[in-house]
Amino acid sequence: MCGRYSLALPLSLIQQMLADDGVETEDAALDGSSEAHHQTYNFAPGNNGVVCRANASSSGVEIKGKCHFASDNKSPREGSSNLEGRDEVIKYNLQSMKWGILPSWSKQNDAPNRGVINCRDDSLRTTGGMWQSIKARKRCIVVAQGFFEWLNVSGKEKRPYFIKRKDGHLMCFAGLWDSILHQDAGTRTYTYAIITTDSNQQLRFLHHRMPVIFDAGSKEFHQWLYPLQQRWTDDLQSLLKPFQGELDIYPVNRNVGRVGRSSPSFIVPLIQNDDEHGIIHFFPKISDSSTAEKPETPDETRKCESDDEHHLVSSSSRRYLPERTESPKKHEAESCYTPPSKKRRTKPAPQGIQRITDFFGQTQRDK
DNA sequence: CCAGACGTTGTT
DNA sequence: GTCTGG
DNA sequence: CCAGACGTTGTT
DNA sequence: GTCTGG
């Protein structure tokens, strides 16, 4: 499952929402070689998504490079003493990567859309295969607003549904990434896959598979990303379970099936009329003033092309308007996200780091 | 030893 | 039916 | 994941 | 890259 999802949020808002869940992230725009993510309600394989991964450093010294020795599998350097100190710092980076994983050894460097978009949780249980090296050292979190599933109605019609968290927080998929080096150009392409498992009870009426979903900032989230864990374990395997929280699941504008289109109507419930053609949808508000929208016309269902520029605004999310300080992008999306009831985020929470140490007080190493 | 596979989904 | 593009 | 293409000729 | 099949 999960061959399409929604990601119509600017990076600044994603960072803010993660921060509200206790995850402080940095924008890993590496050497600038990575393009910005594709901001769309209709995110498809081959698009550039937002991926979170973790790096460990000690006393401000990056040890990520040293970790690469682990691939030698016999390296005496793994577990060198500076990996064991309690002063290790885990940094979370957001990076733009292409959906559809291509293993580093893949020969289809040039094949644009050949990557594998999903990874079954049970195929990670066995050794060997294309995942074996990836699952040990290249785990990540894939950020989304929610995902789509299509229900086959009487063998003919397909009806798209949107699935999101009931609490409105970001959906964090368990993922795996890899990269390919293009010898000639000297560039590197990063790609990722989303891990799937059995559907939970709530989703089962639609499909039998669903992505593995973590709560941002949860123990599972940190454990999955923990960069010093470079060996596949039962503990990691046991994280890959059907989502136990509550979901919102509802039919949406069927045009989400049409590739390349994007509209906020794709993540808003359809309102179905008695009239068989009278399928209209619920348009709370449009931030774009240009097009004269007529939310209540049945016509509206067809009127959703080229509207990456239309974005949902709800009054409750106004405070989540991105600060337009450094990123004067034209069309930044807002969301229906309701911030934590607590209070606005205060400080980067050194507690987050503290807690991580609690989770992994005992540093694990490779074999 | 080398050559070839290495994946998921759904549908039947 | 099957492949490609998004 | 789904939707859409799947082709050639000649003419401008 | 690493494992399997022949």
Side-chain angles (χ1 to χ4, degrees):
Chain A
M1 272 307 74
C2 201
R4 210 79 75 84
Y5 61 89
S6 180
L7 185 66
L9 305 172
L11 191 61
S12 57
L13 183 51
I14 290 171
Q15 284 185 293
Q16 198 166 358
M17 292 173 78
L18 287 174
D20 285 335
D21 285 334
V23 182
E24 294 293 331
T25 57
E26 292 173 16
D27 181 359
L30 292 176
D31 39 47
S33 63
S34 59
E35 311 170 19
H37 73 277
H38 190 200
Q39 201 174 300
T40 173
Y41 292 98
N42 196 356
F43 192 92
N47 292 165
N48 289 311
V50 174
V51 164
C52 180
R53 53 180 178 125
N55 291 316
S57 55
S58 186
S59 310
V61 178
E62 276 279 334
I63 62 176
K64 182 187 157 202
K66 289 179 183 170
C67 291
H68 281 288
F69 283 98
S71 58
D72 293 341
N73 200 15
K74 293 260 159 76
S75 169
R77 308 196 56 140
E78 355 175 68
S80 63
S81 60
N82 65 340
L83 297 188
E84 297 178 325
R86 348 159 216 354
D87 55 345
E88 74 200 22
V89 176
I90 310 299
K91 285 189 176 172
Y92 296 93
N93 294 313
L94 293 183
Q95 187 177 348
S96 171
M97 297 189 195
K98 189 172 176 176
W99 190 14
I101 198 170
L102 291 172
S104 56
W105 41 260
S106 174
K107 290 152 197 122
Q108 323 184 69
N109 322 22
D110 40 357
N113 236 352
R114 292 262 171 267
V116 174
I117 64 172
N118 292 138
C119 166
R120 294 182 60 93
D121 60 337
D122 44 1
S123 66
L124 296 178
R125 282 193 174 284
T126 58
T127 55
M130 67 173 282
W131 305 117
Q132 75 165 14
S133 60
I134 294 171
K135 68 187 180 188
R137 301 182 50 250
K138 291 170 176 174
R139 299 180 301 276
C140 65
I141 294 288
V142 181
V143 174
Q145 294 172 284
F147 61 97
F148 299 96
E149 299 286 7
W150 280 259
L151 181 67
N152 282 313
V153 185
S154 67
K156 194 67 179 173
E157 183 199 347
K158 271 178 180 170
R159 184 175 301 156
Y161 285 72
F162 186 59
I163 299 99
K164 65 175 188 180
R165 298 177 60 109
K166 185 155 263 176
D167 62 19
H169 287 234
L170 283 180
M171 230 180 218
C172 293
F173 301 140
L176 297 169
W177 64 275
D178 206 345
S179 67
I180 284 190
L181 179 66
H182 306 285
Q183 280 293 0
D184 42 331
T187 59
R188 196 171 275 276
T189 300
Y190 291 83
T191 58
Y192 66 93
I194 293 170
I195 298 176
T196 61
T197 188
D198 292 326
S199 278
N200 65 14
Q201 190 57 48
Q202 206 186 350
L203 188 63
R204 210 158 290 161
F205 79 98
L206 257 187
H207 275 291
H208 64 110
R209 305 289 294 169
M210 78 185 297
V212 172
I213 300 167
F214 294 136
D215 296 346
S218 66
K219 172 177 179 172
E220 291 78 10
F221 179 99
H222 290 294
Q223 193 176 345
W224 179 252
L225 290 181
Y226 191 60
L228 301 185
Q229 176 63 49
Q230 303 197 343
R231 185 179 41 136
W232 189 249
T233 61
D234 288 344
D235 279 349
L236 286 172
Q237 185 74 51
S238 69
L239 298 176
L240 307 179
K241 292 286 183 282
F243 184 58
Q244 290 309 296
E246 275 199 280
L247 299 168
D248 270 340
I249 306 175
Y250 48 80
V252 295
N253 189 326
R254 62 188 180 83
N255 284 156
V256 70
R258 305 177 66 160
V259 297
R261 299 199 185 193
S262 176
S263 161
S265 65
F266 296 170
I267 66 169
V268 158
L270 260 193
I271 305 298
Q272 190 125 11
N273 240 351
D274 293 334
D275 174 1
E276 84 170 50
H277 281 4
I279 298 173
I280 58 179
H281 52 271
F282 175 47
F283 248 71
K285 212 166 197 175
I286 300 298
S287 64
D288 186 284
S289 53
S290 61
T291 356
E293 298 287 352
K294 300 172 174 181
E296 254 85 86
T297 3
D299 254 3
E300 189 49 39
T301 40
R302 269 176 272 120
K303 242 188 143 298
C304 57
E305 48 247 276
S306 74
D307 39 6
D308 256 321
E309 348 220 321
H310 305 165
H311 295 296
L312 289 183
V313 178
S314 74
S315 54
S316 68
S317 70
R318 293 228 177 254
R319 77 187 89 180
Y320 272 89
L321 282 169
E323 318 88 336
R324 307 186 149 272
T325 45
E326 40 153 0
S327 176
K329 280 191 167 178
K330 295 291 188 256
H331 310 294
E332 298 202 314
E334 288 88 43
S335 77
C336 300
Y337 175 61
T338 310
S341 52
K342 303 183 156 193
K343 195 60 187 182
R344 283 294 280 114
R345 141 180 78 117
T346 47
K347 234 284 109 185
Q351 199 184 21
I353 303 298
Q354 210 68 35
R355 268 192 294 138
I356 295 163
T357 318
D358 292 343
F359 297 159
F360 309 106
Q362 197 68 293
T363 300
Q364 308 196 43
R365 316 179 212 156
D366 286 358
K367 49 151 59 169

